[in-house]
Amino acid sequence: MTIDIDPEPIVEPVYDTETRRMVCKLISYLLQYPDTEWREGLQGVEEAVLSISEEEEKQVVLTFTRAAQAVDAIKWQDAYVRAFDFDKKSNLYLTYAAHGDERDRGPALIDLKRRYEAAGFYMEASELPDYLPMVLEFIAEAPEKDAIGVLGSCYKSLVTMTESIAGQNSPYGPLLTLMLQVLPELSVSDVPVPSQEQQKQPFGGLNEIVELMRRGNR
C-alpha cells in the first residue's frame, strides 16, 4: 500500500517594516562601486546589521562584507565590474535592460524621477533615477505606497538582474536574492502599464535625462 504524504508547505518569511527598510538601506550601500570609501564603510554596515533579528538575513549580509574585506580591493572591484558592466540584464541601471541607450528610455526615467519628487525625495543631480542603489534607498525611506509604486515600475528588471547575477556565481548573487525576498509584496495592480499620455513626456524633462546619460551613466 502506498501512502501519499503531502509535502510541507513552503512558508515565506514575513518581514516587519523596520527590517525591510534596514535591509534595503544596507544593500543600497553594498551595491555601490567598491572604492576606498566604500571599503571603509563596511564596518558600519556590520554594526548596523546586528540590529536585524532574523538570523538568516543577518548572515547573508555579514558573509558578503567579510568576503569583501578578505579579498584584495582591486580584485573585488574587478568582480564588481564583471558582475554589473558586461551584460545589460545585470546592469545596475534598471531601465537599461528594457531600453538600452535608446531615446525610448527617457520617459521611464522621467516617470521614476517624478515619483521620487512626489514623495518628497530629491535625488543627487549627478545620478540617474533608475540606479539600483538609489531605488533601494528610496524604498527604504519612502511611505510604503510610494515605495510600491516605484518598485512596481522596475520589478521585472530586478528579477532579471537577480537571476543573471545568481547565474554568474557572483558574491553579489545572495545579496540580490535577499533584496527580492525583503521587498514589499506586489499585486498585479501594482505593476503599471504605461498610458499613451505617459509615453508623451515633455521634451524638456527628456533633455535633462539625456544630458545625464551623456556624462557616462548607462
Side-chain angles (χ1 to χ4, degrees), residues 70-210:
V71 175
D72 174 78
I74 300 299
K75 288 184 178 180
W76 192 268
Q77 289 172 356
D78 181 68
Y80 180 91
V81 170
R82 289 179 182 278
F84 298 115
D85 284 6
F86 290 106
D87 185 347
K88 71 177 185 178
K89 291 182 179 179
S90 60
N91 197 281
L92 286 171
Y93 293 87
L94 298 175
T95 63
Y96 184 76
H99 305 292
D101 285 322
E102 299 300 322
R103 188 181 182 84
D104 290 345
R105 188 178 168 203
L109 293 170
I110 292 172
D111 177 64
L112 275 174
K113 185 171 183 289
R114 287 177 174 172
R115 287 179 183 273
Y116 291 160
E117 292 175 349
F121 181 88
Y122 293 91
M123 49 180 279
E124 294 181 13
S126 62
E127 195 52 86
L128 288 171
D130 64 340
Y131 180 50
L132 180 53
M134 180 172 292
V135 172
L136 289 174
E137 184 176 349
F138 177 81
I139 291 173
E141 297 182 0
E144 186 159 310
K145 181 180 179 181
D146 296 311
I148 287 176
V150 165
L151 180 58
S153 70
C154 58
Y155 188 75
K156 291 180 180 178
S157 294
L158 290 173
V159 173
T160 299
M161 163 185 274
T162 300
E163 291 175 346
S164 176
I165 297 297
Q168 299 175 29
N169 197 30
S170 165
Y172 286 89
L175 205 62
L176 290 169
T177 300
L178 175 61
M179 171 197 70
L180 284 185
Q181 190 171 305
V182 304
L183 288 175
E185 186 175 353
L186 299 180
S187 64
V188 174
S189 62
D190 291 324
V191 182
V193 177
S195 65
Q196 291 183 350
E197 186 64 28
Q198 287 175 319
Q199 295 176 25
K200 297 177 181 179
Q201 300 289 351
F203 190 73
L206 184 56
N207 269 342
E208 178 184 350
I209 296 297
V210 169

